[in-house]
């Protein structure tokens, strides 16, 4: 029986090519774009190495020092009670003007106050602010660096192609060692293997390569650099508060607790220069919040994240509903075409459920074909996006799990769009179905 | 006739409701996307205020640890040696707020009795030459300004429009981070990117010897090749005795910065275009089918004297009225956004977006209806009636 259904579905599909095209176009493009969106989300938030701990990471990017001036405003309310003036004075303090400085941290400030919090498992302090121009074979290489501590390698789980990360003793001894990214190995040495113990000269210092890591496929600042160097080489900030460094903390299961603890600690940091600054603010954020803040800036990153998530959910659901509606519209009007066919089948004794099954089956076949085309289209699109490097370091991958989810969504709409009109038709009286149309 | 069309629409309310919802939703998507696009296009079309072509920027290492005498000596040598290069037309030293650097400096003050919030940049007398800026009133900083009674100040037009509207401020004293004399006005300086808002901006003068003025802007001769960077690099390395500096091409930074907006813009537009095509194809299919099913009605109208143009007009009107109903409902919801001031965009963008979305929906529907209704109008009454 199913063989018959498949045959029939194929006939119907090939009979009205234009309508088949409309249907398949809708299904396949919806699927393709859904898959591209998730591929992007997966690249950024899919916990792929070296961001395997992403869900537990809290970032301290910037330190804000501000001086807020307060003004006391006296308000005198005068009222007359039985001819006698009564004064009611209220004092209000109001913020008037402020000067704000926001920059990255002094590493010692981070080390002294934010290390070994109760709610964190691990933390790393690093500086990604330095880049160096190097000229190799008449072309310029701009080498971005990350001066980091030894625990950096525990917070971010890089995959090593060869060699090892630098450890605590390397950092303490200010050893001239470096870990480089695969892309730098390729552009500098022309090979990504067998470069251990070679030397790269940067800032008039010679660094011995002790490790090569795989290029990351997402975009956070600390991981996309070319070269990792022990941070003891760059520990001479002039300001007691500011100075190039940021911190990433690995929360012990509860991000909110870590954020609270960080803010609590920050409130107890002594401020030496009260005349310059009287408030110290930090804003611990997650990588998701950072991402959202880039799209829609709000002082409170949690608000940005909420806004962006709702926006995304809204857009994606509209994006699913529209093609589905389109499909239903089309099927509702097309099904009348086949009233005679249904009439004949009913006359020969087909039950309502048999007719329903046949129509739903046809729609499922159609959706599956659309799904396969969508998969191929997504594959091609991802290939071209990765090739063109428009997303810079981000590498998209097809997520099979999500493909199945999207296919289920499509099947759901395929079934609905087939069911509604088929239900209408299966209720038709045989006489009416046969009356107006000739076979 | 309108009444008649309403009756026809009402008679098929089930199928028409679905089309109505579809057009309504498509309108909302179009409205949201176009608001964002229109906002960005308006930003893009506003003047940037400076040139980026053949402009290079050198970020020197932090100089604040050097003693001031050696800084003066080093800066003087740098300026002399760099301007000496064949391909260098102008050399300027400024503090770290430079185009596309991501750095920003904002100051708020109510020293003048009302709150002034403005972006600040700290630059030298050669800055306008290096960036080919557009000074609309007065002049740019001069070396002599550094010794004047009041330090000089330059603002953008937006600053004056926002805080001193309608007043001629040139040569006035403005109390902002201390008392300054306004010597010039530039049209704009949107250094945070082509898609950034035009915000009030002031320039303060720093001497090129200033220890924090460690960004060097180089105005290069037209078409200087990228390989020339090595020459510049070597010269600077020889003077600063350090490799800890980088040379960037500002035009490339601009492209990179703009791409951050262009990519989502392009992605949104293509998704939107796909949705429109999808809706259009669907509508086309539905119309084509419906009109084919109404051959009897068409034949009858033709037989009793209706002109073929009457027939096509009827079908176009039918779908147009349906669209208008959907769009009016859509406008009702969309207009709440600017009216209630929800969302980050200025209302003007959304009003334009509503107008444009309405136009696109109507054009889309008419294009979809044209072919089927034209076919319907060409039906010969005899053939149309024969079938039934």
């Amino acid at each position: 029986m199913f063989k018959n259904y498949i045959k029939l579905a194929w006939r119907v599909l090939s009979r009205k090519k234009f309508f088949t095209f409309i249907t398949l176009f809708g299904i396949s493009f919806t699927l393709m774009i859904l898959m591209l969106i998730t591929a992007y989300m997966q690249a950024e938030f899919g916990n792929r190495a070296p961001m395997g701990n992403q869900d537990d990471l809290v970032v301290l990017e910037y330190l804000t020092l501000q001086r807020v001036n307060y003004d006391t405003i006296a308000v005198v309310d005068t009222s007359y009670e039985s001819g006698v003036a009564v004064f009611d004075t209220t004092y209000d303090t109001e913020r008037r003007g402020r000067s704000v400085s926001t920059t990255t941290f002094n590493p010692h400030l981070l080390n002294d106050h934010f290390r070994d919090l109760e709610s964190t498992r691990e933390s790393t302090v690093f500086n990604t602010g330095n880049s160096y121009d190097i000229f190799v074979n008449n072309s310029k290489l701009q080498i971005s660096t990350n001066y980091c501590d030894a625990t950096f390698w525990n917070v971010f789980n890089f995959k090593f192609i060869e060699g090892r990360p630098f450890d605590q003793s390397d950092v303490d001894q200010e050893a001239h060692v470096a870990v480089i990214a695969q892309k730098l190995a390729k552009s500098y040495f022309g090979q990504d293997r067998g470069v251990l113990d070679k030397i790269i000269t940067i800032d008039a210092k010679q660094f011995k390569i002790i490790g090569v890591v795989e290029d990351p496929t997402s975009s956070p600042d600390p991981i996309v650099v070319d070269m990792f160097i022990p941070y003891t080489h760059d520990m001479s900030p002039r300001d007691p508060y500011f100075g190039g460094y940021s911190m990433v903390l690995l929360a012990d299961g509860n991000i909110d607790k870590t954020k609270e603890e960080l803010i609590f600690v920050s409130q107890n940091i002594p401020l030496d220069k009260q005349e310059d600054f009287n408030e110290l603010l930090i804003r611990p954020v997650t990588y998701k919040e950072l991402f959202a803040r880039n799209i829609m800036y709000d002082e409170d990153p949690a608000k940005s994240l909420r806004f962006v998530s709702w926006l995304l959910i809204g857009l994606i659901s509209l994006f699913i509903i529209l093609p589905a509606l389109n499909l239903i519209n089309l099927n509702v009007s097309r099904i009348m075409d086949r009233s005679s066919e249904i009439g004949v089948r009913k006359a020969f004794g087909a039950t309502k459920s048999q007719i329903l099954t046949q129509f739903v089956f046809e729609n499922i076949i159609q959706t599956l074909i659309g799904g396969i085309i969508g998969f191929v289209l997504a594959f091609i699109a991802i290939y071209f996006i990765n090739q063109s490097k428009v997303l810079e370091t981000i590498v998209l991958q097809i997520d099979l799990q999500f493909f199945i989810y999207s296919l289920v969504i499509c099947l759901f709409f395929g079934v609905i769009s087939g069911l509604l009109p088929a239900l209408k038709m299966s209720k038709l009286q045989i006489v009416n179905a046969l009356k107006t149309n000739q076979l | 006739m309108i009444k008649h069309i309403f009756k026809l629409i009402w008679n098929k309310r089930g199928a028409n409701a679905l089309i109505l919802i579809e057009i309504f939703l498509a309108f909302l998507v179009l409205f949201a996307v176009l608001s964002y696009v229109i906002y960005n296009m308006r930003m893009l079309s506003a003047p940037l205020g400076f040139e980026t072509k053949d402009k290079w920027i050198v970020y020197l290492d932090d100089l604040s640890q050097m003693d001031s005498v050696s800084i003066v000596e080093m800066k003087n040598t740098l300026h002399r040696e760099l301007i000496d290069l064949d391909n260098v037309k102008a050399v300027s030293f400024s503090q770290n707020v430079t185009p596309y650097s991501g750095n920003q400096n904002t100051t708020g003050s109510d020293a003048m009795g009302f709150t002034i919030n403005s972006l600040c940049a700290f630059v030298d007398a050669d800055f306008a030459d290096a960036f080919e800026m557009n000074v609309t009133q007065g002049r740019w900083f001069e070396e002599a300004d550094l010794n004047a009674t009041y330090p000089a100040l330059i603002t953008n037009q937006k600053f004056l429009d926002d805080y001193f509207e309608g007043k001629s401020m040139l040569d006035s004293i403005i109390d902002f981070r201390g008392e300054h004399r306004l010597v010039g006005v530039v049209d704009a300086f949107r250094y945070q990117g082509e898609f950034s808002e035009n915000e009030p901006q002031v320039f303060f003068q720093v001497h090129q010897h200033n220890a924090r003025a460690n960004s060097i802007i180089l105005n290069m001769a037209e078409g200087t090749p990228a390989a020339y960077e090595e020459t510049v690099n070597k010269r600077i390395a020889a003077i600063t005795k350090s490799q800890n500096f980088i040379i960037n091409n500002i035009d490339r930074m601009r492209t990179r910065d703009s791409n951050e907006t262009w990519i989502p813009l392009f992605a949104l537009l293509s998704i939107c275009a796909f949705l429109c095509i999808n809706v259009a194809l669907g509508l086309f299919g539905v119309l084509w089918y419906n009109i084919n099913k109404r051959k009897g009605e068409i034949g009858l109208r033709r037989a009793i004297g209706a002109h073929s143009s009457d027939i096509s007009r009827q079908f176009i009107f039918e779908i147009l009225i349906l669209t208008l109903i959907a769009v009016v409902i859509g406008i009702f919801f969309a207009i709440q956004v600017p009216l209630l001031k929800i969302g980050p965009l200025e209302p003007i963008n959304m009003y334009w977006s509503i107008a444009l979305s309405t136009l696109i929906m109507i054009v889309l529907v008419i294009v979809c209806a044209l072919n089927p209704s034209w076919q319907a109008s060409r039906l010969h009454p005899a053939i149309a009636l024969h079938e039934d």
Side-chain angles (χ1 to χ4, degrees):
Chain A
M1 188 178 73
F2 279 110
K3 208 175 128 196
N4 263 341
Y5 283 171
I6 292 176
K7 238 189 216 165
L8 208 64
W10 183 249
R11 278 282 158 75
V12 172
L13 280 180
S14 47
R15 195 177 54 193
K16 296 270 171 153
K17 297 221 170 52
F18 178 64
F19 286 94
T20 311
F21 165 73
I22 295 178
T23 319
L24 291 184
F25 178 85
I27 296 172
S28 55
F29 264 79
T30 309
L31 232 127
M32 176 188 91
I33 288 170
L34 282 179
M35 288 189 66
L36 283 183
I37 292 174
T38 24
Y40 182 77
M41 288 298 169
Q42 280 288 324
E44 284 291 59
F45 307 113
N47 294 339
R48 295 207 303 237
M51 297 295 288
N53 301 317
Q54 168 141 245
D55 292 340
D56 286 330
L57 295 185
V58 178
V59 190
L60 282 184
E61 259 201 321
Y62 296 117
L63 169 72
T64 299
L65 288 180
Q66 60 180 15
R67 165 150 195 96
V68 183
N69 304 316
Y70 291 97
D71 244 12
T72 309
I73 299 159
V75 178
V76 185
D77 287 329
T78 315
S79 52
Y80 286 90
E81 277 174 25
S82 50
V84 184
V86 180
F87 302 103
D88 179 17
T89 314
T90 49
Y91 294 97
D92 223 359
T93 45
E94 198 179 78
R95 282 179 160 216
R96 285 187 72 80
R98 53 176 196 166
S99 58
V100 188
S101 294
T102 301
T103 324
T104 40
F105 293 84
N106 176 314
H108 300 299
L109 184 86
L110 290 170
N111 280 336
D112 294 349
H113 296 281
F114 299 106
R115 290 278 192 190
D116 304 320
L117 299 188
E118 256 174 56
S119 60
T120 58
R121 269 189 284 159
E122 195 67 273
S123 58
T124 175
V125 167
F126 57 86
N127 176 358
T128 52
N130 296 312
S131 296
Y132 303 92
D133 285 348
I134 286 186
F135 293 88
V136 187
N137 308 329
N138 276 332
S139 68
K140 188 177 88 168
L141 265 185
Q142 197 159 74
I143 299 185
S144 53
T145 57
N146 182 350
Y147 287 88
C148 56
D149 54 10
T151 47
F152 182 83
W153 307 104
N154 303 338
V155 175
F156 298 101
N157 57 335
F158 275 92
K159 279 191 192 146
F160 277 79
I161 295 178
E162 57 182 0
R164 59 167 182 95
F166 44 79
D167 53 27
Q168 195 58 46
S169 66
D170 290 328
V171 173
D172 292 340
Q173 292 162 17
E174 211 179 319
H176 285 187
V177 293
V179 173
I180 63 171
Q182 196 180 359
K183 55 178 186 267
L184 179 62
K186 271 186 201 152
S187 53
Y188 194 91
F189 299 109
Q191 62 200 56
D192 58 359
R193 264 158 224 281
V195 299
L196 291 188
D197 295 333
K198 295 198 177 187
I199 301 289
I200 288 188
T201 308
I202 262 185
D203 194 19
K205 287 181 191 165
Q206 296 190 325
F207 290 96
K208 190 177 81 175
I209 295 164
I210 56 164
V212 180
V213 290
E214 254 182 33
D215 288 336
T217 54
S218 53
S219 69
D221 288 338
I223 62 165
V224 296
V225 299
D226 296 308
M227 193 165 171
F228 302 87
I229 300 170
Y231 74 155
T232 33
H233 284 283
D234 180 54
M235 280 282 245
S236 49
R238 290 139 297 268
D239 188 279
Y241 299 99
F242 296 133
Y245 278 80
S246 302
M247 189 172 197
V248 171
L249 302 105
L250 183 55
D252 199 5
N254 188 343
I255 284 209
D256 293 326
K257 224 167 123 192
T258 308
K259 283 185 175 175
E260 274 166 33
E261 197 178 353
L262 281 170
I263 289 182
F264 176 75
V265 170
S266 76
Q267 283 162 348
N268 294 313
I269 296 178
L271 280 168
D272 300 333
K273 296 185 283 183
Q274 284 283 336
E275 64 283 3
D276 291 340
F277 300 110
N278 54 14
E279 278 181 20
L280 179 149
L281 298 174
I282 58 162
R283 223 176 252 295
V285 290
T286 61
Y287 275 108
K288 282 196 181 99
E289 286 166 348
L290 269 182
F291 176 81
R293 205 179 58 182
N294 282 340
I295 297 177
M296 155 74 205
Y297 182 81
D298 193 289
E299 216 171 299
D300 179 9
K303 236 187 214 165
S304 297
L305 182 61
R306 263 202 306 280
F307 180 84
V308 171
S309 325
W310 279 112
L311 196 75
L312 210 64
I313 291 172
L315 272 180
I316 290 183
S317 36
L318 268 182
F319 188 69
I320 295 174
I321 290 172
L322 262 176
L325 262 178
N326 211 15
L327 227 59
I328 295 176
N329 263 340
L330 215 59
N331 278 337
V332 166
S333 39
R334 283 182 67 197
I335 200 97
M336 290 307 285
D337 242 24
R338 300 176 64 182
S339 61
S340 55
E341 175 195 332
I342 295 166
V344 171
R345 285 202 65 196
K346 278 190 125 179
F348 278 90
T351 60
K352 202 167 133 183
S353 65
Q354 276 174 326
I355 288 171
L356 273 181
T357 320
Q358 182 203 332
F359 277 96
V360 169
F361 193 80
E362 262 174 35
N363 272 291
I364 288 177
I365 298 257
Q366 222 175 29
T367 315
L368 283 178
I369 296 176
I372 292 166
I373 298 175
F375 188 81
V376 173
L377 286 178
F379 206 78
I380 296 170
I382 283 177
Y383 174 80
F384 278 109
I385 290 172
N386 286 340
Q387 282 291 310
S388 67
K389 296 254 179 239
V390 282
L391 299 176
E392 304 203 339
T393 55
I394 297 173
V395 178
L396 300 182
Q397 288 168 5
I398 287 250
D399 186 17
L400 210 62
Q401 194 186 0
F402 186 75
F403 172 68
I404 293 164
Y405 287 152
S406 340
L407 205 60
V408 169
I409 294 175
C410 277
L411 277 181
F412 175 71
F413 285 117
V415 170
I416 294 257
S417 65
L419 210 58
L420 276 180
L423 209 63
K424 192 169 132 198
M425 284 316 286
S426 61
K427 282 185 197 147
L428 265 183
Q429 292 294 320
I430 302 172
V431 185
N432 286 339
L434 285 172
K435 192 186 73 180
T436 46
N437 295 50
Q438 308 102 317
L439 274 177
Chain B
M1 177 166 173
I2 301 282
K3 210 172 144 195
H4 175 69
I5 287 173
F6 269 113
K7 197 181 247 173
L8 281 173
I9 292 176
W10 183 250
N11 283 342
K12 287 193 55 77
R13 55 192 171 277
N16 281 335
L18 282 174
I19 298 181
L20 199 95
I21 294 173
E22 191 177 337
I23 295 176
F24 165 70
L25 289 179
F27 177 83
L28 285 190
V29 173
L30 215 57
F31 164 72
V33 171
L34 286 182
S35 298
Y36 180 68
V37 173
I38 288 172
Y39 166 78
N40 278 310
M41 288 303 119
R42 288 183 56 225
M43 290 298 122
L44 186 66
S45 62
L48 201 58
F50 60 97
E51 293 294 324
T52 55
K53 200 161 179 301
D54 297 309
K55 307 283 176 288
W56 292 1
I57 188 159
V58 185
Y59 301 108
L60 295 179
D61 195 17
D62 201 340
L63 306 173
S64 49
Q65 273 176 324
M66 291 168 69
D67 62 273
S68 50
V69 180
S70 37
I71 292 180
V72 170
E73 198 181 318
M74 190 185 92
K75 288 276 183 71
N76 282 341
T77 326
L78 270 175
H79 191 269
R80 194 180 56 237
E81 298 264 312
L82 284 173
I83 200 85
D84 209 36
L85 286 170
D86 289 341
N87 283 13
V88 177
K89 292 199 293 193
V91 179
S92 161
F93 290 82
S94 89
Q95 289 191 10
N96 62 4
V97 179
T98 51
Y100 312 110
S101 61
N103 296 328
Q104 184 186 331
N105 185 318
T106 317
T107 298
S109 152
D110 23 295
M112 295 190 77
F114 52 95
T115 310
I116 298 178
N117 276 308
S118 176
L119 295 170
C120 305
F122 303 85
V123 301
D124 72 354
D126 296 318
F127 193 76
D129 273 347
F131 269 125
E132 295 172 36
M133 292 180 61
N134 200 357
V135 182
T136 50
Q137 292 177 45
R139 57 172 175 80
W140 191 255
F141 297 124
E142 286 164 5
E143 289 286 332
D145 289 334
L146 287 163
N147 305 320
T149 323
Y150 291 108
L153 180 78
I154 288 169
T155 70
N156 65 351
Q157 192 58 45
K158 170 86 173 156
F159 181 91
L160 295 185
D161 291 347
D162 275 14
Y163 300 119
F164 302 97
E165 205 192 340
K167 293 176 192 147
S168 162
M169 292 302 291
L170 212 58
D171 284 326
S172 308
I173 306 297
I174 293 177
D175 191 354
F176 188 67
R177 290 178 93 128
E179 294 187 332
H180 289 82
R181 193 164 66 89
L182 185 72
V183 297
V185 180
V186 296
D187 61 344
F189 184 61
R190 294 191 300 134
Y191 66 90
Q192 308 196 60
E194 289 168 298
F195 294 101
S196 65
E197 292 267 359
N198 186 19
E199 287 174 66
Q201 166 83 47
V202 297
F203 297 91
F204 297 102
Q205 190 177 12
V206 292
H207 197 275
Q208 71 177 45
H209 295 157
N210 186 302
R212 290 174 63 190
N214 53 359
S215 303
I216 311 175
I217 296 118
L218 300 175
N219 187 359
M220 307 300 292
E222 211 178 313
T224 305
Y228 199 73
E229 275 183 35
E230 192 166 359
T231 317
V232 177
N233 181 293
K234 278 187 182 142
R235 193 156 284 202
I236 295 174
I239 300 165
T240 59
K241 300 189 179 55
S242 140
Q243 268 295 332
N244 200 354
F245 63 88
I246 50 172
I247 303 173
N248 272 334
N249 183 325
I250 291 184
D251 214 29
R252 268 211 302 276
M253 294 167 84
R254 175 183 179 170
T255 314
R256 222 186 118 160
D257 175 84
S258 318
N259 276 350
E260 274 175 29
T261 309
W262 276 120
I263 290 170
L265 207 67
F266 183 73
L268 272 176
L269 270 180
S270 37
I271 290 179
C272 207
F274 150 71
L275 276 182
C276 282
I277 292 175
N278 204 352
V279 168
L281 282 176
L283 272 180
F284 182 78
V286 170
L287 288 177
W288 195 78
Y289 250 93
N290 287 346
I291 289 172
N292 262 312
K293 272 196 334 222
R294 287 163 66 177
K295 278 183 182 168
E297 176 194 338
I298 299 165
L300 207 60
R301 284 201 64 196
R302 294 278 278 148
I304 58 173
H307 197 263
S308 68
S309 65
D310 290 334
I311 306 284
S312 60
R313 200 183 307 143
Q314 179 203 336
F315 285 114
I316 291 185
F317 265 30
E318 249 183 75
I319 189 66
L320 207 57
I321 284 179
L322 201 62
T323 312
L324 282 180
I325 295 173
V327 166
V328 165
I329 301 174
I331 290 178
F332 173 78
F333 283 101
I335 206 133
Q336 305 300 324
V337 181
L339 285 185
L340 299 175
K341 300 205 164 53
I342 313 166
L345 297 184
E346 264 179 76
I348 178 83
N349 300 305
M350 306 201 204
Y351 293 134
W352 272 111
S353 166
I354 288 177
L356 200 60
S357 312
T358 310
L359 191 74
I360 291 178
M361 280 327 293
I362 289 175
V363 169
L364 203 70
V365 165
I366 290 182
V367 167
C368 291
L370 248 117
N371 184 284
S373 59
W374 179 73
Q375 273 189 351
S377 68
R378 286 195 7 135
L379 268 181
H380 198 274
I383 295 167
L385 284 172
H386 172 75
E387 269 195 330
D388 259 344

